[in-house]
């Protein structure tokens, strides 16, 4: 008895195609954001369901014909970084086509027993379901988020399984009468198709790992920001406690000088008292709160090390640069400058920063003695909260399409960071 699917069993075929779509749609939601509109969700589901139900053999033109319609539907129904959408769309396409090509091509011997149609219909949702369960724990965390430069890396890696799959399937289509090529591709596909499938899954796994790493990096950056806030608050509270403790003595001294008629000494005493650290107002360096807090904290550190600071910072309250990145740029650049200036004779740091005409410019100059370390890494033990070197700041600048330049003379080191500001 043969079990080929006749026309009246189309419902059976569509049921398993629907299962394919369910597993793939839910899996896809963990990697890319889907538009809220109902039509977008239905469009993505239909694209995944129909492509996973497509018949694909080695040498079949369905691979080339399906791709443009699938990618168009994928891009129209998703949102976010365009490169991320293209990358995830291609990874899922390679994943789906690999499963389809393996099931359709290498289950053909079952046709002699009459089980081919049922086998191909069952294998696909079975594999998609297994892979969905394998990623299920990670899907609970929501859509993965990566910066654009990491999506570039993933996009480059995606070319490998896509090129391998294309090289296997398309040549036989253009040379359908070549029995030698057909036999060669048949054996070659036994290696390339599993490779393409596993490569696609490894890429999805890599995206999750990179997303976790990025989340931890963001958490570390926020931890640094909290540490800066905490140290600034702790310093101000110490100054207030000191002032309260000494206030009575200061008042008694002032009253004593006033009673004696020593107005000149009283005037000098009050001037000295007004200039004390406890009565100084917090430095309001610029309108940007993050930069203000970070630079104020580093300014206090400069004063503690008797470093002369010359600052001119003109920044608006908001910038199209993440707060964590601003904190890292200013915090680590100033850490490196303080570290170098502290060991120099002049002990001088010049800070110039402004955002105008669509450009963020930061220039920090500091004195130094001895040799400049090429990586500018901090020598402090706690590297989590201190300078992480030129490479880290350069990566932040490059991520926003900017650049970092470092130069030095005999006495002064200069760090220049330029980042274009999107409108």
């Amino acid at each position: 008895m043969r079990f080929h699917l006749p026309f009246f069993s189309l419902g059976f075929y569509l049921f398993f195609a629907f299962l394919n779509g369910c597993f793939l749609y839910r899996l896809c939601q963990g990697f890319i954001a889907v538009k809220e509109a109902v039509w977008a969700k239905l469009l993505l589901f239909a694209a995944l369901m129909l492509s996973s139900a497509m018949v694909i053999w080695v040498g079949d033109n369905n691979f080339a014909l399906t791709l443009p319609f699938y990618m168009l539907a994928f891009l129209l129904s998703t949102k976010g970084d365009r490169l991320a959408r293209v990358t995830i769309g291609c990874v899922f396409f390679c994943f789906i086509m690999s499963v389809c090509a393996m099931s359709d091509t290498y289950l053909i011997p079952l046709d002699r027993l009459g089980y081919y149609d049922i086998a191909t219909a069952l294998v696909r949702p079975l594999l998609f379901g297994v892979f969905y369960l394998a990623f299920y724990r990670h899907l609970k965390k929501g859509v993965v988020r990566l910066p654009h430069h990491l999506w570039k890396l993933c996009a480059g890696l995606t070319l490998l399984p896509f090129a391998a799959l294309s090289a296997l399937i398309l040549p036989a289509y253009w040379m359908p009468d070549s029995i030698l090529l057909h036999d060669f591709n048949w054996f070659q596909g036994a290696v390339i198709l599993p490779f393409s499938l596993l490569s696609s899954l490894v890429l999805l796994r890599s995206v999750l790992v990179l997303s976790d790493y990025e989340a931890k990096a963001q958490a570390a950056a926020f931890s640094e920001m909290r540490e800066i806030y905490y140290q600034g608050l702790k310093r101000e509270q110490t100054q207030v406690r000191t002032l309260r403790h000494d206030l009575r003595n200061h008042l008694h001294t002032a009253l004593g000088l006033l009673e004696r008629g020593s107005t000149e000494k009283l005037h000098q005493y009050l001037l000295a008292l007004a200039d004390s650290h406890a009565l100084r107002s917090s430095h309001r360096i610029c309108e940007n709160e993050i930069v203000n807090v970070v630079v104020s904290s580093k300014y206090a550190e400069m004063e503690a090390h008797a470093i002369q600071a010359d600052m001119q910072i003109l920044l608006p309250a908001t910038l199209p640069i993440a707060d964590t990145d601003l904190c890292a740029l200013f915090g680590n650049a100033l850490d490196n400058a303080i570290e170098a200036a502290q060991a120099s004779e002049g002990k001088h740091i010049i800070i110039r920063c402004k955002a105008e005409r669509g450009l963020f410019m930061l220039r920090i100059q500091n004195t130094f003695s001895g040799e400049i370390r090429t990586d500018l890494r901090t020598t402090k033990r706690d590297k989590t909260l201190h300078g992480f070197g030129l490479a880290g700041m350069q990566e932040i600048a490059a991520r926003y399409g900017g650049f970092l330049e470092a130069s030095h003379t005999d006495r002064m080191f200069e760090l220049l960071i330029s980042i274009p500001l999107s409108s």
Side-chain angles (χ1 to χ4, degrees), residues 195-260:
F195 168 79
S196 177
L197 174 62
L198 292 177
S199 296
S200 302
L201 296 176
V202 169
L203 278 170
L204 293 178
R205 173 61 181 166
S206 299
V207 169
L208 293 175
V209 172
L210 289 173
S211 179
D212 289 341
Y213 174 82
E214 188 67 17
K216 291 177 181 178
Q218 291 291 328
F222 278 118
S223 176
E224 181 177 355
M225 292 172 61
R226 288 194 297 269
E227 177 70 15
I228 291 174
Y229 274 108
Y230 170 75
Q231 292 298 338
L233 180 61
K234 182 179 178 181
R235 183 175 59 255
E236 291 184 359
Q237 288 179 338
T238 300
Q239 292 174 353
V240 171
R241 285 197 298 268
T242 302
L243 177 60
R244 288 176 178 174
H245 181 269
D246 296 338
L247 184 56
R248 181 174 297 180
N249 293 331
H250 290 314
L251 290 176
H252 282 304
T253 301
L255 288 173
L257 291 173
L258 184 61
E259 289 173 356
R260 289 185 223 168

Side-chain angles (χ1 to χ4, degrees), residues 24-25 27-28 32 40 43-54 62-78 84-97 128 158 162 200 204:
L24 291 170
Y25 180 82
L27 185 61
C28 186
I32 204 71
L43 180 62
L44 178 61
F45 182 86
L48 294 171
M49 183 185 77
L50 294 176
S51 60
S52 64
M54 189 66 62
N62 283 346
F63 175 84
L65 295 176
T66 304
L67 178 61
F69 297 100
Y70 164 86
M71 287 303 302
L72 179 62
F74 196 94
L75 293 176
L76 288 175
S77 57
T78 56
R85 292 151 61 198
V86 171
T87 301
I88 294 299
C90 286
V91 172
F92 268 80
F93 186 76
C94 292
F95 172 44
I96 294 170
M97 292 297 105
F128 293 139
T158 306
F162 186 80
S200 302
L204 293 178

Side-chain angles (χ1 to χ4, degrees), residues 78-380:
T78 56
K79 59 183 179 180
D81 190 321
R82 183 178 300 175
L83 182 61
R85 292 151 61 198
V86 171
T87 301
I88 294 299
C90 286
V91 172
F92 268 80
F93 186 76
C94 292
F95 172 44
I96 294 170
M97 292 297 105
S98 298
V99 171
C100 292
M102 288 173 61
S103 61
D104 289 342
T105 303
Y106 296 99
L107 292 179
I108 285 181
L110 294 178
D111 188 55
R112 299 176 182 176
L113 303 175
Y115 294 105
Y116 176 73
D117 293 330
I118 291 181
T120 54
L122 289 174
V123 165
R124 297 183 189 189
L126 179 63
L127 289 177
F128 293 139
V130 169
F131 294 133
Y132 165 73
L133 293 176
F135 286 96
Y136 179 76
R137 182 169 60 89
H138 300 280
L139 299 180
K140 295 181 179 180
K141 300 179 181 180
V143 179
V144 298
R145 301 188 183 278
L146 291 178
H148 188 73
H149 71 284
L150 288 182
W151 282 120
K152 286 183 179 179
L153 173 64
C154 295
L157 295 175
T158 306
L159 294 176
L160 187 60
F162 186 80
L165 200 59
S166 301
L168 172 67
I169 294 178
L170 295 181
Y173 167 67
W174 297 114
M175 301 176 63
D177 298 328
S178 176
I179 298 177
L180 179 62
L181 180 61
H182 178 273
D183 293 340
F184 177 74
N185 281 341
W186 179 279
F187 292 104
Q188 190 181 36
V191 177
I192 291 182
L193 289 175
F195 168 79
S196 177
L197 174 62
L198 292 177
S199 296
S200 302
L201 296 176
V202 169
L203 278 170
L204 293 178
R205 173 61 181 166
S206 299
V207 169
L208 293 175
V209 172
L210 289 173
S211 179
D212 289 341
Y213 174 82
E214 188 67 17
K216 291 177 181 178
Q218 291 291 328
F222 278 118
S223 176
E224 181 177 355
M225 292 172 61
R226 288 194 297 269
E227 177 70 15
I228 291 174
Y229 274 108
Y230 170 75
Q231 292 298 338
L233 180 61
K234 182 179 178 181
R235 183 175 59 255
E236 291 184 359
Q237 288 179 338
T238 300
Q239 292 174 353
V240 171
R241 285 197 298 268
T242 302
L243 177 60
R244 288 176 178 174
H245 181 269
D246 296 338
L247 184 56
R248 181 174 297 180
N249 293 331
H250 290 314
L251 290 176
H252 282 304
T253 301
L255 288 173
L257 291 173
L258 184 61
E259 289 173 356
R260 289 185 223 168
S262 303
T263 55
E264 182 64 27
K265 288 185 177 180
L266 176 60
H267 181 261
Q268 293 177 358
Y269 183 81
L270 291 177
L271 286 177
L273 181 61
D275 193 47
S276 65
H277 288 283
L279 292 181
R280 288 181 187 175
S281 61
S282 299
H283 286 274
R284 188 67 185 176
I285 297 170
C286 68
E287 295 300 319
N288 189 281
E289 188 62 28
I290 293 297
V291 175
N292 191 66
V293 171
V294 174
V295 178
S296 295
S297 174
K298 301 305 177 184
Y299 182 78
E301 189 174 346
M302 294 179 209
E303 286 188 323
H305 293 100
I307 298 175
Q308 182 183 357
D310 179 7
M311 295 186 292
Q312 290 183 14
I313 301 177
L314 300 173
L315 293 176
T318 59
L319 286 169
I321 302 175
D323 290 342
T324 52
D325 292 331
L326 279 175
C327 178
L329 284 176
F330 277 90
N332 289 285
L334 289 176
D335 273 337
N336 291 329
I338 293 171
E339 188 176 341
Q342 185 180 352
S344 67
E345 295 181 359
K347 292 188 177 182
H348 190 201
I349 294 178
I350 302 173
I351 306 170
R352 297 288 185 269
C353 185
K354 61 182 178 180
E356 63 179 15
R357 298 180 181 178
L359 199 63
F360 169 89
M361 296 287 293
L362 171 62
R363 185 180 68 179
I364 298 179
Q365 297 171 293
N366 61 269
T367 55
F368 71 95
S369 62
E371 296 182 355
I372 290 288
R373 297 184 61 175
T374 56
D375 59 356
L376 293 182
R377 294 185 182 276
T378 183
T379 57
K380 298 177 182 179

